[in-house]
Amino acid sequence: MNISTNHSQIDLAPSREIALDNIWLRPTSRWGHTEYSFEYHKDYLTRHTGLVEDTPARLRLGYDRFAFDFLWHTQDGLIDWAEAGRTTDMGHASYALDASDLRRPKRCPFTTEEEVWAFDAVQEYGLPDFDAQVRAYETILEAARAAFPNQLTTGGYYKTIVSGAIDAFGWDMLLIAAADSTRMEKVFDSFFRRTLFYMQAWAKTSAEVIIQHDDFVWTRGPFMRPDIYRKVIIPRYAELWKPLHAAGKKVLFCSDGNFTQFAGDIVAAGADGLIFEPCNDFEFMVENFGQTTCLVGSFVDCRDLASGKWDKVRADIDRTCDQLARCKGALVAVGNHMPPDIPEQMVDRYFDYLLPRLQR
């Protein structure tokens, strides 16, 4: 089955309205759709758009061709942490096919847990002028809407409380210092206070939806005691979302790893949607939150796509569609990205099979 045939059978025109309807849990013709890291599939995009140059126009055609309704986007503001204060560069493994994004780790500037406990993110990095930050965010939104008019581009913040601490201290010093949760709470609070400034700035913009990204767990679950999450981290999320909700925004919480045991706490704190990887069971999410919360993900695992396990991928699409019948709003995606090493034939088969099944 080819995509052009699918288009003739059902309406697969990309639509920011479809994304919004699903996030708001409103009745709509089909489930929303997005994918992550699609821009890395350069040869694939060239083949399907006819455009050789890596430009927003090529990406726009690709998003439209494959019915992307939603674009994941965050922006951490006008101040570069690495220039303003101490950060820990843990390096970056090669993700792009040409390894152009490979970066070697650098030495952590923190040598003792006492240095971590004395840290204050607001003092270390400072804050920009509030009105200038609001204008900068609005400019970003305007540019995104011009470049990708058929997709909903979110506002959002990446280096929230735990991710901010990871960026500052690196994993080793964070884990050592977090062993004393009492002394670590005021450090986490400084990242919260800094994040709150940016949530208040996003609240002043025209963004309809905000992503609160915080990689606060590992694939196997929490790396701190559960009470730290429930007493220190998640209550601060609730405070971050108050100005956004007061401004009429919807908030989507996003984390790598398995946060199943905290999903209920996150929703109770005010998250309107959950963005999650397939290590979080999609059926569990539907069973517990399908009627109250927009779910962004699926059963599909990118590792199965990359290894050519088409029967498994097809079965996981079918399982996802079966569970969607119990949802009020959802955006279907491969939750752990679509890395560039997925064979093009598998990408074709994935879209050909998935897209016609997005109809409600």
Side-chain angles (χ1 to χ4, degrees), residues 173-208:
M173 289 309 303
L174 171 59
L175 293 173
I176 292 170
D180 189 329
S181 59
T182 300
R183 299 186 72 174
M184 194 65 192
E185 181 170 5
K186 67 180 181 64
V187 183
F188 283 138
D189 185 70
S190 74
F191 290 101
F192 155 73
R193 288 185 283 109
R194 198 169 191 282
T195 305
L196 181 60
F197 173 92
Y198 293 98
M199 295 303 97
Q200 292 168 335
W202 276 118
K204 296 292 185 181
T205 71
S206 61
E208 301 99 326

PDB file of all heavy atoms in Angstrom, residues 173-208:
ATOM      1  N   MET A 173      28.646  13.174  39.821  1.00  0.00           N
ATOM      2  CA  MET A 173      28.534  14.094  40.955  1.00  0.00           C
ATOM      3  C   MET A 173      27.078  14.269  41.373  1.00  0.00           C
ATOM      4  O   MET A 173      26.785  14.451  42.563  1.00  0.00           O
ATOM      5  CB  MET A 173      29.156  15.445  40.608  1.00  0.00           C
ATOM      6  CG  MET A 173      30.675  15.418  40.516  1.00  0.00           C
ATOM      7  SD  MET A 173      31.491  14.674  41.965  1.00  0.00           S
ATOM      8  CE  MET A 173      30.870  15.699  43.306  1.00  0.00           C
ATOM      9  N   LEU A 174      26.154  14.188  40.421  1.00  0.00           N
ATOM     10  CA  LEU A 174      24.744  14.279  40.795  1.00  0.00           C
ATOM     11  C   LEU A 174      24.340  13.114  41.688  1.00  0.00           C
ATOM     12  O   LEU A 174      23.690  13.297  42.727  1.00  0.00           O
ATOM     13  CB  LEU A 174      23.862  14.314  39.549  1.00  0.00           C
ATOM     14  CG  LEU A 174      22.346  14.203  39.801  1.00  0.00           C
ATOM     15  CD1 LEU A 174      21.850  15.335  40.695  1.00  0.00           C
ATOM     16  CD2 LEU A 174      21.580  14.179  38.496  1.00  0.00           C
ATOM     17  N   LEU A 175      24.722  11.910  41.324  1.00  0.00           N
ATOM     18  CA  LEU A 175      24.338  10.741  42.106  1.00  0.00           C
ATOM     19  C   LEU A 175      24.982  10.756  43.491  1.00  0.00           C
ATOM     20  O   LEU A 175      24.342  10.391  44.487  1.00  0.00           O
ATOM     21  CB  LEU A 175      24.725   9.463  41.353  1.00  0.00           C
ATOM     22  CG  LEU A 175      23.953   9.203  40.059  1.00  0.00           C
ATOM     23  CD1 LEU A 175      24.546   8.015  39.317  1.00  0.00           C
ATOM     24  CD2 LEU A 175      22.481   8.964  40.349  1.00  0.00           C
ATOM     25  N   ILE A 176      26.205  11.192  43.563  1.00  0.00           N
ATOM     26  CA  ILE A 176      26.876  11.273  44.870  1.00  0.00           C
ATOM     27  C   ILE A 176      26.183  12.287  45.757  1.00  0.00           C
ATOM     28  O   ILE A 176      25.859  12.027  46.925  1.00  0.00           O
ATOM     29  CB  ILE A 176      28.368  11.633  44.681  1.00  0.00           C
ATOM     30  CG1 ILE A 176      29.119  10.483  44.020  1.00  0.00           C
ATOM     31  CG2 ILE A 176      29.004  11.988  46.016  1.00  0.00           C
ATOM     32  CD1 ILE A 176      30.536  10.836  43.588  1.00  0.00           C
ATOM     33  N   ALA A 177      25.908  13.477  45.202  1.00  0.00           N
ATOM     34  CA  ALA A 177      25.308  14.544  46.006  1.00  0.00           C
ATOM     35  C   ALA A 177      23.859  14.233  46.362  1.00  0.00           C
ATOM     36  O   ALA A 177      23.389  14.577  47.456  1.00  0.00           O
ATOM     37  CB  ALA A 177      25.393  15.872  45.259  1.00  0.00           C
ATOM     38  N   ALA A 178      23.121  13.579  45.465  1.00  0.00           N
ATOM     39  CA  ALA A 178      21.712  13.299  45.704  1.00  0.00           C
ATOM     40  C   ALA A 178      21.500  12.254  46.792  1.00  0.00           C
ATOM     41  O   ALA A 178      20.367  12.063  47.261  1.00  0.00           O
ATOM     42  CB  ALA A 178      21.038  12.846  44.412  1.00  0.00           C
ATOM     43  N   ALA A 179      22.572  11.591  47.212  1.00  0.00           N
ATOM     44  CA  ALA A 179      22.443  10.639  48.309  1.00  0.00           C
ATOM     45  C   ALA A 179      21.994  11.328  49.595  1.00  0.00           C
ATOM     46  O   ALA A 179      21.385  10.700  50.466  1.00  0.00           O
ATOM     47  CB  ALA A 179      23.768   9.907  48.529  1.00  0.00           C
ATOM     48  N   ASP A 180      22.289  12.609  49.723  1.00  0.00           N
ATOM     49  CA  ASP A 180      21.792  13.407  50.855  1.00  0.00           C
ATOM     50  C   ASP A 180      20.654  14.277  50.327  1.00  0.00           C
ATOM     51  O   ASP A 180      20.866  15.390  49.839  1.00  0.00           O
ATOM     52  CB  ASP A 180      22.906  14.266  51.436  1.00  0.00           C
ATOM     53  CG  ASP A 180      22.517  14.963  52.743  1.00  0.00           C
ATOM     54  OD1 ASP A 180      21.319  15.284  52.905  1.00  0.00           O
ATOM     55  OD2 ASP A 180      23.404  15.191  53.590  1.00  0.00           O
ATOM     56  N   SER A 181      19.436  13.771  50.416  1.00  0.00           N
ATOM     57  CA  SER A 181      18.307  14.466  49.802  1.00  0.00           C
ATOM     58  C   SER A 181      17.997  15.788  50.499  1.00  0.00           C
ATOM     59  O   SER A 181      17.500  16.719  49.862  1.00  0.00           O
ATOM     60  CB  SER A 181      17.077  13.567  49.823  1.00  0.00           C
ATOM     61  OG  SER A 181      16.735  13.203  51.159  1.00  0.00           O
ATOM     62  N   THR A 182      18.289  15.890  51.778  1.00  0.00           N
ATOM     63  CA  THR A 182      18.009  17.128  52.505  1.00  0.00           C
ATOM     64  C   THR A 182      18.865  18.269  51.974  1.00  0.00           C
ATOM     65  O   THR A 182      18.370  19.373  51.694  1.00  0.00           O
ATOM     66  CB  THR A 182      18.249  16.933  54.003  1.00  0.00           C
ATOM     67  OG1 THR A 182      17.391  15.894  54.491  1.00  0.00           O
ATOM     68  CG2 THR A 182      17.971  18.219  54.767  1.00  0.00           C
ATOM     69  N   ARG A 183      20.151  18.022  51.814  1.00  0.00           N
ATOM     70  CA  ARG A 183      21.046  19.069  51.321  1.00  0.00           C
ATOM     71  C   ARG A 183      20.848  19.305  49.824  1.00  0.00           C
ATOM     72  O   ARG A 183      21.091  20.404  49.335  1.00  0.00           O
ATOM     73  CB  ARG A 183      22.494  18.698  51.634  1.00  0.00           C
ATOM     74  CG  ARG A 183      22.766  18.556  53.128  1.00  0.00           C
ATOM     75  CD  ARG A 183      24.213  18.325  53.422  1.00  0.00           C
ATOM     76  NE  ARG A 183      25.022  19.523  53.209  1.00  0.00           N
ATOM     77  CZ  ARG A 183      26.326  19.604  53.506  1.00  0.00           C
ATOM     78  NH1 ARG A 183      26.954  18.556  54.007  1.00  0.00           N
ATOM     79  NH2 ARG A 183      26.988  20.720  53.276  1.00  0.00           N
ATOM     80  N   MET A 184      20.385  18.272  49.111  1.00  0.00           N
ATOM     81  CA  MET A 184      20.216  18.410  47.674  1.00  0.00           C
ATOM     82  C   MET A 184      18.941  19.155  47.326  1.00  0.00           C
ATOM     83  O   MET A 184      18.851  19.739  46.231  1.00  0.00           O
ATOM     84  CB  MET A 184      20.206  17.024  47.019  1.00  0.00           C
ATOM     85  CG  MET A 184      20.380  17.051  45.512  1.00  0.00           C
ATOM     86  SD  MET A 184      22.006  17.687  45.017  1.00  0.00           S
ATOM     87  CE  MET A 184      21.729  17.921  43.258  1.00  0.00           C
ATOM     88  N   GLU A 185      17.969  19.198  48.210  1.00  0.00           N
ATOM     89  CA  GLU A 185      16.694  19.824  47.860  1.00  0.00           C
ATOM     90  C   GLU A 185      16.859  21.288  47.485  1.00  0.00           C
ATOM     91  O   GLU A 185      16.250  21.772  46.529  1.00  0.00           O
ATOM     92  CB  GLU A 185      15.679  19.685  48.990  1.00  0.00           C
ATOM     93  CG  GLU A 185      14.339  20.324  48.632  1.00  0.00           C
ATOM     94  CD  GLU A 185      13.227  20.024  49.612  1.00  0.00           C
ATOM     95  OE1 GLU A 185      13.491  19.386  50.648  1.00  0.00           O
ATOM     96  OE2 GLU A 185      12.080  20.443  49.323  1.00  0.00           O
ATOM     97  N   LYS A 186      17.678  22.028  48.217  1.00  0.00           N
ATOM     98  CA  LYS A 186      17.820  23.448  47.889  1.00  0.00           C
ATOM     99  C   LYS A 186      18.544  23.642  46.557  1.00  0.00           C
ATOM    100  O   LYS A 186      18.342  24.650  45.877  1.00  0.00           O
ATOM    101  CB  LYS A 186      18.548  24.196  49.012  1.00  0.00           C
ATOM    102  CG  LYS A 186      19.998  23.849  49.225  1.00  0.00           C
ATOM    103  CD  LYS A 186      20.589  24.660  50.367  1.00  0.00           C
ATOM    104  CE  LYS A 186      22.065  24.354  50.581  1.00  0.00           C
ATOM    105  NZ  LYS A 186      22.880  24.753  49.400  1.00  0.00           N
ATOM    106  N   VAL A 187      19.364  22.665  46.166  1.00  0.00           N
ATOM    107  CA  VAL A 187      20.011  22.732  44.858  1.00  0.00           C
ATOM    108  C   VAL A 187      18.970  22.510  43.767  1.00  0.00           C
ATOM    109  O   VAL A 187      18.897  23.271  42.787  1.00  0.00           O
ATOM    110  CB  VAL A 187      21.136  21.690  44.760  1.00  0.00           C
ATOM    111  CG1 VAL A 187      21.865  21.826  43.414  1.00  0.00           C
ATOM    112  CG2 VAL A 187      22.122  21.854  45.919  1.00  0.00           C
ATOM    113  N   PHE A 188      18.151  21.466  43.938  1.00  0.00           N
ATOM    114  CA  PHE A 188      17.059  21.244  42.995  1.00  0.00           C
ATOM    115  C   PHE A 188      16.137  22.458  42.943  1.00  0.00           C
ATOM    116  O   PHE A 188      15.643  22.836  41.871  1.00  0.00           O
ATOM    117  CB  PHE A 188      16.256  20.005  43.385  1.00  0.00           C
ATOM    118  CG  PHE A 188      16.916  18.693  43.046  1.00  0.00           C
ATOM    119  CD1 PHE A 188      16.894  17.633  43.946  1.00  0.00           C
ATOM    120  CD2 PHE A 188      17.560  18.504  41.825  1.00  0.00           C
ATOM    121  CE1 PHE A 188      17.478  16.426  43.630  1.00  0.00           C
ATOM    122  CE2 PHE A 188      18.162  17.297  41.508  1.00  0.00           C
ATOM    123  CZ  PHE A 188      18.121  16.250  42.420  1.00  0.00           C
ATOM    124  N   ASP A 189      15.912  23.072  44.092  1.00  0.00           N
ATOM    125  CA  ASP A 189      15.032  24.234  44.127  1.00  0.00           C
ATOM    126  C   ASP A 189      15.593  25.385  43.299  1.00  0.00           C
ATOM    127  O   ASP A 189      14.827  26.150  42.698  1.00  0.00           O
ATOM    128  CB  ASP A 189      14.825  24.695  45.577  1.00  0.00           C
ATOM    129  CG  ASP A 189      13.823  25.827  45.675  1.00  0.00           C
ATOM    130  OD1 ASP A 189      12.613  25.577  45.455  1.00  0.00           O
ATOM    131  OD2 ASP A 189      14.244  26.974  45.936  1.00  0.00           O
ATOM    132  N   SER A 190      16.902  25.514  43.243  1.00  0.00           N
ATOM    133  CA  SER A 190      17.481  26.599  42.439  1.00  0.00           C
ATOM    134  C   SER A 190      17.227  26.367  40.952  1.00  0.00           C
ATOM    135  O   SER A 190      16.985  27.322  40.205  1.00  0.00           O
ATOM    136  CB  SER A 190      18.982  26.735  42.725  1.00  0.00           C
ATOM    137  OG  SER A 190      19.743  25.692  42.143  1.00  0.00           O
ATOM    138  N   PHE A 191      17.255  25.106  40.505  1.00  0.00           N
ATOM    139  CA  PHE A 191      16.897  24.811  39.109  1.00  0.00           C
ATOM    140  C   PHE A 191      15.404  25.047  38.877  1.00  0.00           C
ATOM    141  O   PHE A 191      15.004  25.525  37.814  1.00  0.00           O
ATOM    142  CB  PHE A 191      17.273  23.371  38.757  1.00  0.00           C
ATOM    143  CG  PHE A 191      18.748  23.138  38.658  1.00  0.00           C
ATOM    144  CD1 PHE A 191      19.439  22.533  39.690  1.00  0.00           C
ATOM    145  CD2 PHE A 191      19.451  23.536  37.526  1.00  0.00           C
ATOM    146  CE1 PHE A 191      20.811  22.318  39.607  1.00  0.00           C
ATOM    147  CE2 PHE A 191      20.824  23.335  37.438  1.00  0.00           C
ATOM    148  CZ  PHE A 191      21.508  22.722  38.488  1.00  0.00           C
ATOM    149  N   PHE A 192      14.605  24.729  39.874  1.00  0.00           N
ATOM    150  CA  PHE A 192      13.167  25.017  39.784  1.00  0.00           C
ATOM    151  C   PHE A 192      12.934  26.520  39.647  1.00  0.00           C
ATOM    152  O   PHE A 192      12.160  26.959  38.776  1.00  0.00           O
ATOM    153  CB  PHE A 192      12.448  24.483  41.022  1.00  0.00           C
ATOM    154  CG  PHE A 192      11.164  25.209  41.323  1.00  0.00           C
ATOM    155  CD1 PHE A 192      10.026  25.018  40.549  1.00  0.00           C
ATOM    156  CD2 PHE A 192      11.103  26.126  42.373  1.00  0.00           C
ATOM    157  CE1 PHE A 192       8.845  25.701  40.825  1.00  0.00           C
ATOM    158  CE2 PHE A 192       9.928  26.805  42.652  1.00  0.00           C
ATOM    159  CZ  PHE A 192       8.803  26.601  41.876  1.00  0.00           C
ATOM    160  N   ARG A 193      13.573  27.324  40.482  1.00  0.00           N
ATOM    161  CA  ARG A 193      13.346  28.770  40.431  1.00  0.00           C
ATOM    162  C   ARG A 193      13.773  29.344  39.095  1.00  0.00           C
ATOM    163  O   ARG A 193      13.114  30.243  38.551  1.00  0.00           O
ATOM    164  CB  ARG A 193      14.097  29.457  41.580  1.00  0.00           C
ATOM    165  CG  ARG A 193      13.485  29.198  42.954  1.00  0.00           C
ATOM    166  CD  ARG A 193      14.182  29.978  44.060  1.00  0.00           C
ATOM    167  NE  ARG A 193      15.446  29.382  44.441  1.00  0.00           N
ATOM    168  CZ  ARG A 193      16.636  29.886  44.181  1.00  0.00           C
ATOM    169  NH1 ARG A 193      16.740  31.029  43.479  1.00  0.00           N
ATOM    170  NH2 ARG A 193      17.742  29.285  44.583  1.00  0.00           N
ATOM    171  N   ARG A 194      14.839  28.813  38.549  1.00  0.00           N
ATOM    172  CA  ARG A 194      15.286  29.299  37.241  1.00  0.00           C
ATOM    173  C   ARG A 194      14.308  28.868  36.151  1.00  0.00           C
ATOM    174  O   ARG A 194      13.967  29.651  35.262  1.00  0.00           O
ATOM    175  CB  ARG A 194      16.689  28.765  36.942  1.00  0.00           C
ATOM    176  CG  ARG A 194      17.389  29.559  35.846  1.00  0.00           C
ATOM    177  CD  ARG A 194      18.847  29.211  35.732  1.00  0.00           C
ATOM    178  NE  ARG A 194      19.483  30.187  34.849  1.00  0.00           N
ATOM    179  CZ  ARG A 194      19.389  30.164  33.520  1.00  0.00           C
ATOM    180  NH1 ARG A 194      18.676  29.237  32.934  1.00  0.00           N
ATOM    181  NH2 ARG A 194      19.995  31.093  32.791  1.00  0.00           N
ATOM    182  N   THR A 195      13.829  27.628  36.219  1.00  0.00           N
ATOM    183  CA  THR A 195      12.870  27.148  35.237  1.00  0.00           C
ATOM    184  C   THR A 195      11.565  27.937  35.305  1.00  0.00           C
ATOM    185  O   THR A 195      10.946  28.224  34.268  1.00  0.00           O
ATOM    186  CB  THR A 195      12.586  25.654  35.452  1.00  0.00           C
ATOM    187  OG1 THR A 195      13.828  24.928  35.430  1.00  0.00           O
ATOM    188  CG2 THR A 195      11.667  25.104  34.360  1.00  0.00           C
ATOM    189  N   LEU A 196      11.145  28.296  36.507  1.00  0.00           N
ATOM    190  CA  LEU A 196       9.889  29.031  36.677  1.00  0.00           C
ATOM    191  C   LEU A 196       9.919  30.348  35.908  1.00  0.00           C
ATOM    192  O   LEU A 196       8.904  30.756  35.314  1.00  0.00           O
ATOM    193  CB  LEU A 196       9.635  29.292  38.155  1.00  0.00           C
ATOM    194  CG  LEU A 196       8.343  30.036  38.495  1.00  0.00           C
ATOM    195  CD1 LEU A 196       7.115  29.282  38.016  1.00  0.00           C
ATOM    196  CD2 LEU A 196       8.254  30.301  40.002  1.00  0.00           C
ATOM    197  N   PHE A 197      11.058  31.006  35.881  1.00  0.00           N
ATOM    198  CA  PHE A 197      11.196  32.253  35.126  1.00  0.00           C
ATOM    199  C   PHE A 197      10.808  32.023  33.660  1.00  0.00           C
ATOM    200  O   PHE A 197      10.068  32.821  33.057  1.00  0.00           O
ATOM    201  CB  PHE A 197      12.643  32.746  35.229  1.00  0.00           C
ATOM    202  CG  PHE A 197      12.960  33.930  34.353  1.00  0.00           C
ATOM    203  CD1 PHE A 197      12.828  35.220  34.831  1.00  0.00           C
ATOM    204  CD2 PHE A 197      13.418  33.745  33.052  1.00  0.00           C
ATOM    205  CE1 PHE A 197      13.136  36.318  34.018  1.00  0.00           C
ATOM    206  CE2 PHE A 197      13.731  34.832  32.236  1.00  0.00           C
ATOM    207  CZ  PHE A 197      13.585  36.111  32.720  1.00  0.00           C
ATOM    208  N   TYR A 198      11.273  30.922  33.082  1.00  0.00           N
ATOM    209  CA  TYR A 198      11.022  30.650  31.665  1.00  0.00           C
ATOM    210  C   TYR A 198       9.591  30.175  31.436  1.00  0.00           C
ATOM    211  O   TYR A 198       9.008  30.450  30.373  1.00  0.00           O
ATOM    212  CB  TYR A 198      12.046  29.652  31.141  1.00  0.00           C
ATOM    213  CG  TYR A 198      13.433  30.246  31.129  1.00  0.00           C
ATOM    214  CD1 TYR A 198      14.338  29.995  32.154  1.00  0.00           C
ATOM    215  CD2 TYR A 198      13.825  31.125  30.119  1.00  0.00           C
ATOM    216  CE1 TYR A 198      15.601  30.577  32.164  1.00  0.00           C
ATOM    217  CE2 TYR A 198      15.084  31.712  30.115  1.00  0.00           C
ATOM    218  CZ  TYR A 198      15.962  31.435  31.144  1.00  0.00           C
ATOM    219  OH  TYR A 198      17.199  32.029  31.154  1.00  0.00           O
ATOM    220  N   MET A 199       9.019  29.473  32.401  1.00  0.00           N
ATOM    221  CA  MET A 199       7.604  29.111  32.269  1.00  0.00           C
ATOM    222  C   MET A 199       6.727  30.367  32.316  1.00  0.00           C
ATOM    223  O   MET A 199       5.736  30.472  31.581  1.00  0.00           O
ATOM    224  CB  MET A 199       7.199  28.140  33.375  1.00  0.00           C
ATOM    225  CG  MET A 199       7.878  26.781  33.317  1.00  0.00           C
ATOM    226  SD  MET A 199       7.619  25.919  31.727  1.00  0.00           S
ATOM    227  CE  MET A 199       9.133  26.332  30.847  1.00  0.00           C
ATOM    228  N   GLN A 200       7.092  31.309  33.158  1.00  0.00           N
ATOM    229  CA  GLN A 200       6.356  32.573  33.201  1.00  0.00           C
ATOM    230  C   GLN A 200       6.522  33.343  31.902  1.00  0.00           C
ATOM    231  O   GLN A 200       5.571  34.006  31.434  1.00  0.00           O
ATOM    232  CB  GLN A 200       6.843  33.407  34.393  1.00  0.00           C
ATOM    233  CG  GLN A 200       6.459  32.803  35.742  1.00  0.00           C
ATOM    234  CD  GLN A 200       7.172  33.447  36.903  1.00  0.00           C
ATOM    235  OE1 GLN A 200       8.267  34.012  36.761  1.00  0.00           O
ATOM    236  NE2 GLN A 200       6.589  33.355  38.096  1.00  0.00           N
ATOM    237  N   ALA A 201       7.704  33.228  31.278  1.00  0.00           N
ATOM    238  CA  ALA A 201       7.911  33.887  29.987  1.00  0.00           C
ATOM    239  C   ALA A 201       7.081  33.199  28.894  1.00  0.00           C
ATOM    240  O   ALA A 201       6.412  33.870  28.101  1.00  0.00           O
ATOM    241  CB  ALA A 201       9.391  33.874  29.625  1.00  0.00           C
ATOM    242  N   TRP A 202       7.097  31.865  28.852  1.00  0.00           N
ATOM    243  CA  TRP A 202       6.285  31.161  27.868  1.00  0.00           C
ATOM    244  C   TRP A 202       4.807  31.475  28.046  1.00  0.00           C
ATOM    245  O   TRP A 202       4.048  31.526  27.071  1.00  0.00           O
ATOM    246  CB  TRP A 202       6.516  29.656  27.954  1.00  0.00           C
ATOM    247  CG  TRP A 202       7.696  29.140  27.200  1.00  0.00           C
ATOM    248  CD1 TRP A 202       8.793  28.513  27.712  1.00  0.00           C
ATOM    249  CD2 TRP A 202       7.913  29.199  25.782  1.00  0.00           C
ATOM    250  NE1 TRP A 202       9.673  28.179  26.706  1.00  0.00           N
ATOM    251  CE2 TRP A 202       9.151  28.583  25.514  1.00  0.00           C
ATOM    252  CE3 TRP A 202       7.169  29.706  24.712  1.00  0.00           C
ATOM    253  CZ2 TRP A 202       9.666  28.478  24.218  1.00  0.00           C
ATOM    254  CZ3 TRP A 202       7.681  29.597  23.432  1.00  0.00           C
ATOM    255  CH2 TRP A 202       8.911  28.990  23.188  1.00  0.00           C
ATOM    256  N   ALA A 203       4.380  31.686  29.287  1.00  0.00           N
ATOM    257  CA  ALA A 203       2.973  31.996  29.550  1.00  0.00           C
ATOM    258  C   ALA A 203       2.548  33.294  28.880  1.00  0.00           C
ATOM    259  O   ALA A 203       1.359  33.493  28.602  1.00  0.00           O
ATOM    260  CB  ALA A 203       2.720  32.063  31.052  1.00  0.00           C
ATOM    261  N   LYS A 204       3.486  34.180  28.621  1.00  0.00           N
ATOM    262  CA  LYS A 204       3.181  35.474  28.002  1.00  0.00           C
ATOM    263  C   LYS A 204       3.186  35.403  26.473  1.00  0.00           C
ATOM    264  O   LYS A 204       2.918  36.410  25.814  1.00  0.00           O
ATOM    265  CB  LYS A 204       4.191  36.523  28.464  1.00  0.00           C
ATOM    266  CG  LYS A 204       4.154  36.825  29.955  1.00  0.00           C
ATOM    267  CD  LYS A 204       2.863  37.530  30.344  1.00  0.00           C
ATOM    268  CE  LYS A 204       2.875  37.951  31.806  1.00  0.00           C
ATOM    269  NZ  LYS A 204       1.604  38.612  32.196  1.00  0.00           N
ATOM    270  N   THR A 205       3.498  34.249  25.916  1.00  0.00           N
ATOM    271  CA  THR A 205       3.564  34.119  24.467  1.00  0.00           C
ATOM    272  C   THR A 205       2.261  33.558  23.914  1.00  0.00           C
ATOM    273  O   THR A 205       1.338  33.220  24.655  1.00  0.00           O
ATOM    274  CB  THR A 205       4.712  33.179  24.054  1.00  0.00           C
ATOM    275  OG1 THR A 205       4.364  31.830  24.412  1.00  0.00           O
ATOM    276  CG2 THR A 205       6.015  33.578  24.732  1.00  0.00           C
ATOM    277  N   SER A 206       2.220  33.417  22.593  1.00  0.00           N
ATOM    278  CA  SER A 206       1.040  32.864  21.925  1.00  0.00           C
ATOM    279  C   SER A 206       1.100  31.343  21.784  1.00  0.00           C
ATOM    280  O   SER A 206       0.238  30.750  21.128  1.00  0.00           O
ATOM    281  CB  SER A 206       0.875  33.495  20.538  1.00  0.00           C
ATOM    282  OG  SER A 206       2.009  33.210  19.727  1.00  0.00           O
ATOM    283  N   ALA A 207       2.098  30.693  22.381  1.00  0.00           N
ATOM    284  CA  ALA A 207       2.194  29.233  22.310  1.00  0.00           C
ATOM    285  C   ALA A 207       0.962  28.603  22.932  1.00  0.00           C
ATOM    286  O   ALA A 207       0.543  28.970  24.019  1.00  0.00           O
ATOM    287  CB  ALA A 207       3.452  28.746  23.034  1.00  0.00           C
ATOM    288  N   GLU A 208       0.377  27.643  22.228  1.00  0.00           N
ATOM    289  CA  GLU A 208      -0.803  26.953  22.756  1.00  0.00           C
ATOM    290  C   GLU A 208      -0.433  25.803  23.675  1.00  0.00           C
ATOM    291  O   GLU A 208      -1.185  25.459  24.582  1.00  0.00           O
ATOM    292  CB  GLU A 208      -1.664  26.401  21.613  1.00  0.00           C
ATOM    293  CG  GLU A 208      -2.170  27.464  20.643  1.00  0.00           C
ATOM    294  CD  GLU A 208      -1.338  27.544  19.379  1.00  0.00           C
ATOM    295  OE1 GLU A 208      -0.109  27.323  19.461  1.00  0.00           O
ATOM    296  OE2 GLU A 208      -1.912  27.812  18.301  1.00  0.00           O
TER     297      GLU A 208
END
